[in-house]
């Protein structure tokens, strides 16, 4: 794969990081990538999300695909894609996130936004959009842009936080504009041209504890402490219990069974080969 063939507005910068000529404002907490850098490795939340995603990725067919990890942050998921021999490109608007991704071993990193990069039409076989869409003010326009740069039959794998009743000051601090239901997200995706393959909630045990817990989280005075909450150590007692209790989700997702409730949404969609599909 020649990364130079994918875009028109990117140049190679320091430490091998590609940079767009401009970077528009982004809605994300200050120093956010550095704050979660260590948490990602030991977090129950990141661990379970990764395991759920592994159940919906065809490890055989993705080999040699050109994959774009949009808003890939520190490269946690891009590294997994690389391990599957996918030709992975991570694009991340945050400078610290882009540099962390390179340090973590991601091979192709672009520091910029999707719009700024101006990728060519029908460039990618797969796109991953993991807890990013909620940071985009005009999410419909963003989905249309993703559709443009995907090849026919290409897949989009995305996760977003679920249910607006869970929206709190915590969401505002980390740059969320909204949370979603499967119905709302499905409507936006189909209106953008996508066909839906699978949709489900996950983290099924968390909505009620989150709803109650965020009242107490808001009482924490320091924002940095609030941002550290929720990243329970996967090897600790509580993390181990949660992993056991949520392990049935992995089997349900593997068999494309829809989970009726959860604090996150997971959807797999594709770009139709023809308008008539």
């Amino acid at each position: 794969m020649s990364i130079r063939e994918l875009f028109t507005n990117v140049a190679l910068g320091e430490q091998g990081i590609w940079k767009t000529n401009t970077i528009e404002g982004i809605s994300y907490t200050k120093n956010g990538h550095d704050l979660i850098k260590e948490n990602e490795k030991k977090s129950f939340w990141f661990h379970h999300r990764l395991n759920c995603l592994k159940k919906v990725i065809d490890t055989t067919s993705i080999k040699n695909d050109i994959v774009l990890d949009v808003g890939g942050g520190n490269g946690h998921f891009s590294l997994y894609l690389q391990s599957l021999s996918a030709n992975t490109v991570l694009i991340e608007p945050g400078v610290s996130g882009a540099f962390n991704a390179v340090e973590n071993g991601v091979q192709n990193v672009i520091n910029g936004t999707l719009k700024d990069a101006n990728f060519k039409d029908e460039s990618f076989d797969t796109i991953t959009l993991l807890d990013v869409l909620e940071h985009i003010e005009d999410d419909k326009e963003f989905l249309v842009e993703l559709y443009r740069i995907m090849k026919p039959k290409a897949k989009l794998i995305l996760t977003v936080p679920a249910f607006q009743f869970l929206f709190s000051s915590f969401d505002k601090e980390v740059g969320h504009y909204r949370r979603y239901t499967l119905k709302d997200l499905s409507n936006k995706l189909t209106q953008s041209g996508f066909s839906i393959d699978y949709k489900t909630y996950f983290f099924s045990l968390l909505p009620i504890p989150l709803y109650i817990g965020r009242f107490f989280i808001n009482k924490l005075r320091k924002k940095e402490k609030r941002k550290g909450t929720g990243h329970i150590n996967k090897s600790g007692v509580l993390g181990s219990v949660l992993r056991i209790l949520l392990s049935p989700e992995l089997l349900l997702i593997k068999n494309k069974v829809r989970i009726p409730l959860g604090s996150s949404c997971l959807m797999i969609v594709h770009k139709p080969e023809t308008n008539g599909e």
Side-chain angles (χ1 to χ4, degrees):
M1 176 188 67
S2 174
I3 192 170
R4 292 179 183 272
E5 297 175 359
L6 300 175
F7 45 67
T8 60
N9 191 36
V10 179
L12 190 60
E14 58 182 310
Q15 294 190 21
I17 296 176
W18 297 85
K19 296 183 72 70
T20 58
N21 294 334
T22 58
I23 298 181
E24 295 186 348
I26 58 174
S27 179
Y28 193 53
T29 186
K30 185 178 180 181
N31 300 325
H33 294 108
D34 289 331
L35 287 171
I36 66 171
K37 185 177 181 181
E38 293 304 316
N39 284 329
E40 281 181 310
K41 298 177 182 179
K42 59 185 180 181
S43 165
F44 146 76
W45 189 89
F46 279 104
H47 179 75
H48 185 66
R49 187 186 71 169
L50 176 60
N51 284 339
C52 289
L53 290 165
K54 286 180 178 180
K55 298 302 180 183
V56 298
I57 290 180
D58 187 334
T59 56
T60 302
S61 66
I62 204 171
K63 185 177 182 180
N64 299 322
D65 272 6
I66 302 176
V67 182
L68 180 66
D69 186 11
V70 179
N74 298 324
H76 185 71
F77 193 67
S78 286
L79 289 173
Y80 170 67
L81 295 170
Q82 283 183 186
S83 74
L84 301 178
S85 299
N87 295 307
T88 307
V89 179
L90 180 153
I91 183 165
E92 169 54 51
V95 175
S96 61
F99 276 92
N100 289 342
V102 170
E103 289 179 359
N104 286 333
V106 181
Q107 296 170 2
N108 300 307
V109 177
I110 300 171
N111 178 211
T113 66
L114 187 71
K115 182 177 181 180
D116 295 331
N118 194 25
F119 289 105
K120 296 179 180 179
D121 291 351
E122 300 185 358
S123 293
F124 297 99
D125 301 293
T126 303
I127 291 181
T128 58
L129 187 71
L130 307 181
D131 292 279
V132 172
L133 195 62
E134 65 274 13
H135 294 275
I136 309 299
E137 186 169 10
D138 191 342
D139 53 354
K140 292 182 181 178
E141 180 183 55
F142 193 81
L143 291 172
V144 170
E145 176 64 6
L146 290 178
Y147 187 92
R148 179 187 69 81
I149 65 175
M150 292 170 63
K151 297 177 182 179
K153 302 174 73 172
K155 288 189 177 295
L156 170 63
I157 302 168
L158 69 159
T159 59
V160 292
F163 296 115
Q164 194 64 21
F165 73 83
L166 292 175
F167 194 91
S168 68
S169 59
F170 178 86
D171 289 274
K172 294 178 182 178
E173 287 163 12
V174 297
H176 293 178
Y177 285 102
R178 70 198 73 79
R179 299 173 75 94
Y180 294 85
T181 64
L182 286 177
K183 181 179 180 181
D184 293 338
L185 186 57
S186 297
N187 288 339
K188 290 183 178 183
L189 285 161
T190 54
Q191 288 168 9
S192 302
F194 292 101
S195 294
I196 297 172
D197 300 321
Y198 174 60
K199 58 183 177 181
T200 187
Y201 292 105
F202 65 119
F203 289 110
S204 54
L205 299 179
L206 298 189
I208 293 176
L210 280 177
Y211 183 75
I212 297 171
R214 287 194 172 181
F215 171 79
F216 297 101
I217 289 171
N218 290 340
K219 298 298 181 182
L220 293 174
R221 292 182 178 180
K222 292 185 178 182
K223 293 181 180 179
E224 288 76 12
K225 288 185 178 180
R226 286 203 291 264
K227 290 162 188 168
T229 58
H231 290 295
I232 300 166
N233 191 321
K234 66 184 180 183
S235 300
V237 174
L238 182 56
S240 298
V241 170
L242 286 171
R243 283 193 291 117
I244 292 170
L245 292 176
L246 288 175
S247 59
E249 288 190 349
L250 302 178
L251 181 61
L252 293 172
I253 290 172
K254 179 180 179 180
N255 290 289
K256 301 295 189 295
V257 177
R258 178 173 169 175
I259 301 166
L261 181 69
S263 61
S264 291
C265 305
L266 166 64
M267 293 193 68
I268 315 298
V269 302
H270 74 274
K271 179 177 181 176
E273 187 172 12
T274 65
N275 293 332
E277 180 178 327

